[in-house]
Amino acid sequence: MSETVLFALEAGLNGLTVGIMYSLVALGFVLIFKASGIFNFAQGALVFFAGLTFVRFLEMGVNFTLAVLITTAIIMIFAVLIEMFVLRKLVNQELIILFMATIGLNFFIEGLTELVWDSNSHALNIEDKTLGFAVPDAGIDWIWDNIGLGINQIDVVATIVAILMLIGLTLFFNKTRVGRALRAVADDHQAAMSVGIPLQTIWAVTWAFAGLIALVAAIFWGSKVGVQFSLSQLALKALPVLIIGGFDSIAGAVVGGLIIGFSENMFEIYAGEFIGGGTTNWFPYALATVFLLFRPQGLFGLKIIERV
Amino acid sequence: MLFREAGQFKTDYAADQSVLPLREDRWFVWFALAFAALFPAFFPFGIDNDYVMTAIMLPFMIYAMAAIGLNLLVGYTGLVSLGTAGFMSIGAFASYKIATSFEFLNVVVVFILGGGVAALIGIAFGLPSLRIKGFYLAVTTLAAHFFIEWLTTSWGWLSNYASSGVIVSPPLEMFGWSIDTPVEKHFFTLGILVAFTIIARNLVRGRLGRSWMAIRDMDVAAEVIGIPMLKTKLLAFAISSFYCGMAGALWAFVNLGAVEPQAFDINLAFTILFMVIIGGLGSIPGSFMGALFFVCTPLVLANGPALFGIVLPQHVLTNLEFMVFGGLIIFFLIVEPHGFARLWELTKEKLRLWPFPH
């Protein structure tokens, strides 16, 4: 293959893999939105919290799998606490109020994380010495030798994990009793409670799951860029992903992530140089705005958005 | 009994339509104003006056200005915006360009023109509000924010090709009066703030403000009774952005002196939104209370432990501030989603009956 085609192919693939990483974060948002109608701004902070907790346990010499389990347990306790002290008090409030509360939560979690742990950047390797598996941050030799494309192993694993989560969550929401209860809660808090759905348990479960997704996202992001404060800014990057995919669609989060990652990378490479570069910060939002004007519910979202 | 409005008769229409019909409210406002004016000269606690003015009063007044602007949009018209910092940035950079291009201009004129540019940009980015609303609109204003941030960073013309992208305030002069000491800055900002508060207060109780509130409460009904959606919504964006632009110019020129594009980051937009929400959506006094809360809380948190003889390291303090701040936001949303403004109304109710319970 010629050089330009290879370059374009690699740029596209790079964009797509970044997109998968966005999807991992966006999935957490979709989960909470689908289950409670709340747009959870604190998801980015959750990623930061989960990632730093995890990496600090690793640094203490805890085994990789064990650290995952410990962090999961901590996140579950955390989710229950959030439900007890924040969400339970705000049942049936307007959604914008709940959204604001998650902004407050975002600040709280960021402060707490840095207070308990620290504010340095930590390197993270996906590797378990006792179980003997490792995913290095390196290309796959076979593809590099034969085709000349650099494909990172972490990206491949992240893609597989994203697809597994996509399938798992879709099945969970559509086929299980709890999943249906979650959707009922999202429709109307009061109505759901009146037909006997235990709102408090449901919310705690949802937030625990969202925290778990945050942990997965944190592990993959952390292994690429290091676990650091900027992870909590991922929430902002997930917004356009959700707009394009649709707020309540799990598949939409993945597809939206791919579209955003691909297009922002392509735009930066092929158009960015003419206008000064650094376009990846705003391009996704501009794309999302254009999308909103033509398709307010996103690609896969339910068509319930009120028009003005 | 303390807050007694019985016996205050209005004998003409002018008195009936005054901005503050109650005597107690008037007293309160005059008192607050006198306090703000005399504050720099007679601050009694032996603390450095210049510090108090530059570290508390100036940020407070400028935040209040921006909060009023955002409140017009979010609180009165119901259009959630996260583009505040972007519009402030536009105000600052436009003022800078105008001030350096036309050096003879009065600084107040420069600021107003800068606010005007911000208003135009606000109209452009307000256009999506005609089709989308609520949370989705917030995302499009985020687009505005990041686009403006990118523009101010990478378009050198805006900062007169300063290598660092930092704009340095030109000398602030009007009518031969040069504004450079803290006291002068204090009075300059106070004057602008008072003037624009009066304008905002009259805007929201007039025809335009009522149209805004009608749109906020139910846009379809508002359109049915003949409120022009396009004009009213875009005016809300324009006026709100004008206030934010003015605040941005003040922030850059009067408060900081030199400013880089990154000073107007997304956190600033959230900060202003907090002030509006904690202060009270749809309330001008609320904007002041929100701004005061935001400026004072970190001071209390920073100096509070020291009063009890507890010395905390700086990073612990910063993170504690974050936590307490986030916690307070949640607390206030739980206790009173309508913010300080509502608490103030409740206090007035209580004072009206005091010392009797009913």
Side-chain angles (χ1 to χ4, degrees):
Chain A
M1 275 186 272
S2 71
E3 282 294 309
T4 29
V5 176
L6 261 186
F7 179 71
L9 207 60
E10 188 157 324
L13 273 178
N14 265 338
L16 289 179
T17 50
V18 173
I20 283 287
M21 303 289 264
Y22 289 151
S23 312
L24 288 177
V25 182
L27 277 174
F29 282 95
V30 173
L31 180 65
I32 289 191
F33 191 84
K34 246 176 121 70
S36 52
I38 301 172
F39 183 82
N40 174 26
F41 192 78
Q43 185 70 22
L46 272 182
V47 173
F48 178 51
F49 173 74
L52 204 57
T53 311
F54 177 70
V55 85
R56 288 305 295 263
F57 275 113
L58 278 189
E59 282 171 6
M60 285 175 202
V62 179
N63 173 297
F64 187 89
T65 316
L66 193 61
V68 169
L69 293 178
I70 295 174
T71 317
T72 308
I74 292 176
I75 285 173
M76 284 181 172
I77 295 167
F78 206 63
V80 172
L81 290 179
I82 289 177
E83 195 280 320
M84 265 173 72
F85 289 105
V86 183
L87 299 175
R88 189 178 296 179
K89 319 267 185 192
L90 289 169
V91 175
N92 237 14
Q93 288 281 7
E94 280 173 59
L95 289 179
I96 191 78
I97 300 284
L98 282 162
F99 169 61
M100 295 304 159
T102 62
I103 295 183
L105 201 59
N106 181 57
F107 271 72
F108 186 83
I109 297 175
E110 279 175 10
L112 181 76
T113 312
E114 293 209 331
L115 190 70
V116 175
W117 306 115
D118 59 16
S119 45
N120 302 331
S121 174
H122 297 264
L124 171 64
N125 293 318
I126 305 179
E127 141 173 74
D128 189 327
K129 293 204 177 71
T130 19
L131 292 183
F133 69 86
V135 185
D137 186 9
I140 301 172
D141 293 337
W142 185 84
I143 297 180
W144 178 245
D145 292 341
N146 289 295
I147 311 175
L149 271 178
I151 294 177
N152 196 316
Q153 299 190 20
I154 292 179
D155 293 332
V156 177
V157 178
T159 311
I160 296 169
V161 169
I163 292 169
L164 286 180
M165 290 211 298
L166 170 71
I167 297 170
L169 284 174
T170 311
L171 287 179
F172 172 69
F173 271 110
N174 291 327
K175 300 290 177 198
T176 66
R177 220 179 128 79
V178 181
R180 265 179 240 147
L182 290 176
R183 278 155 62 203
V185 171
D187 259 6
D188 190 326
H189 297 172
Q190 227 166 18
M193 280 171 90
S194 68
V195 295
I197 294 171
L199 198 60
Q200 294 160 0
T201 328
I202 292 279
W203 273 1
V205 168
T206 322
W207 279 71
F209 264 111
L212 209 59
I213 294 176
L215 175 63
V216 174
I219 291 176
F220 284 113
W221 274 100
S223 64
K224 291 199 92 169
V225 298
V227 176
Q228 51 180 328
F229 186 75
S230 66
L231 285 186
S232 64
Q233 305 293 319
L234 285 173
L236 291 172
K237 230 13 193 296
L239 271 169
V241 171
L242 295 169
I243 294 274
I244 288 181
F247 271 100
D248 48 6
S249 161
I250 294 164
V254 176
V255 176
L258 289 176
I259 291 176
I260 288 282
F262 181 76
S263 56
E264 76 170 18
N265 211 29
M266 284 308 192
F267 187 79
E268 174 68 22
I269 288 174
Y270 289 107
E273 56 180 309
F274 301 113
I275 49 173
T279 56
T280 43
N281 268 340
W282 60 265
F283 182 75
Y285 294 95
L287 193 68
T289 306
V290 174
F291 241 84
L292 271 178
L293 291 178
F294 293 104
R295 220 183 142 77
Q297 74 275 23
L299 281 177
F300 299 95
L302 276 178
K303 204 170 185 173
I304 44 165
I305 287 113
E306 276 180 274
R307 297 284 186 76
V308 180
Chain B
M1 290 296 209
L2 287 177
F3 199 93
R4 199 161 55 171
E5 57 206 66
Q8 297 185 30
F9 301 113
K10 315 279 187 313
T11 48
D12 51 13
Y13 284 117
D16 198 37
Q17 293 180 347
S18 67
V19 182
L20 299 164
L22 287 185
R23 196 194 303 136
E24 282 78 5
D25 278 342
R26 275 199 299 278
W27 283 351
F28 180 75
V29 168
W30 280 117
F31 176 75
L33 198 58
F35 183 71
L38 297 176
F39 201 49
F42 301 108
F43 193 72
F45 303 116
I47 302 174
D48 188 4
N49 280 341
D50 287 357
Y51 170 78
V52 172
M53 275 184 291
T54 50
I56 303 177
M57 287 308 286
L58 268 186
F60 160 62
M61 290 191 288
I62 297 171
Y63 278 142
M65 182 97 176
I68 290 174
L70 187 62
N71 216 337
L72 293 180
L73 194 59
V74 182
Y76 284 96
T77 325
L79 304 170
V80 182
S81 164
L82 291 171
T84 326
F87 296 133
M88 287 175 77
S89 163
I90 286 284
F93 276 86
S95 300
Y96 176 72
K97 271 316 267 191
I98 293 165
T100 47
S101 309
F102 309 98
E103 288 179 357
F104 54 88
L105 278 179
N106 185 319
V107 64
V108 176
V109 179
V110 169
F111 283 1
I112 288 176
L113 288 177
V117 175
L120 288 179
I121 306 281
I123 291 177
F125 282 109
L127 280 172
S129 72
L130 300 169
R131 234 173 110 69
I132 39 190
K133 62 181 184 184
F135 187 70
Y136 292 78
L137 183 64
V139 176
T140 68
T141 56
L142 265 184
H145 170 86
F146 284 106
F147 184 74
I148 292 169
E149 194 176 26
W150 171 79
L151 197 69
T152 48
T153 314
S154 58
W155 192 18
W157 180 78
L158 280 173
S159 55
N160 285 349
Y161 301 102
S163 56
S164 54
V166 174
I167 52 171
V168 179
S169 157
L172 304 170
E173 272 185 10
M174 61 178 191
F175 310 119
W177 174 44
S178 165
I179 303 157
D180 38 24
T181 67
V183 179
E184 285 168 341
K185 284 179 176 173
H186 176 89
F187 281 107
F188 177 72
T189 317
L190 185 65
I192 290 185
L193 179 65
V194 168
F196 279 94
T197 307
I198 294 171
I199 294 174
R201 176 79 198 175
N202 280 304
L203 263 181
V204 296
R205 68 198 195 112
R207 182 193 173 86
L208 187 59
R210 281 159 202 243
S211 318
W212 284 344
M213 287 185 260
I215 289 180
R216 171 193 66 191
D217 292 340
M218 194 173 177
D219 45 7
V220 178
E223 198 158 17
V224 167
I225 60 169
I227 291 169
M229 202 54 63
L230 175 80
K231 192 181 125 200
T232 319
K233 277 192 174 177
L234 289 187
L235 262 177
F237 259 98
I239 294 172
S240 161
S241 310
F242 177 84
Y243 272 80
C244 294
M246 286 279 289
L250 286 170
W251 186 252
F253 287 9
V254 181
N255 188 33
L256 297 178
V259 71
E260 51 183 4
Q262 284 73 30
F264 300 100
D265 65 350
I266 189 69
N267 276 335
L268 184 65
F270 280 115
T271 307
I272 309 276
L273 189 61
F274 284 148
M275 292 176 204
V276 171
I277 289 167
I278 283 196
L281 284 166
S283 157
I284 302 269
S287 307
F288 280 90
M289 289 187 259
L292 192 65
F293 174 81
F294 181 79
V295 173
C296 289
T297 312
L299 284 174
V300 172
L301 290 176
N303 298 319
L307 287 180
F308 299 101
I310 308 164
V311 181
L312 294 171
Q314 187 55 42
H315 70 276
V316 173
L317 217 58
T318 325
N319 291 322
L320 268 181
E321 256 172 48
F322 263 117
M323 287 177 67
V324 172
F325 202 67
L328 280 175
I329 289 165
I330 297 172
F331 174 77
F332 276 114
L333 286 175
I334 291 171
V335 175
E336 186 50 78
H338 301 282
F340 286 142
R342 174 63 65 84
L343 284 179
W344 171 235
E345 293 296 321
L346 293 175
T347 317
K348 282 208 281 197
E349 287 291 324
K350 288 269 190 296
L351 285 177
R352 209 164 271 152
L353 298 171
W354 191 85
F356 306 110
H358 297 294

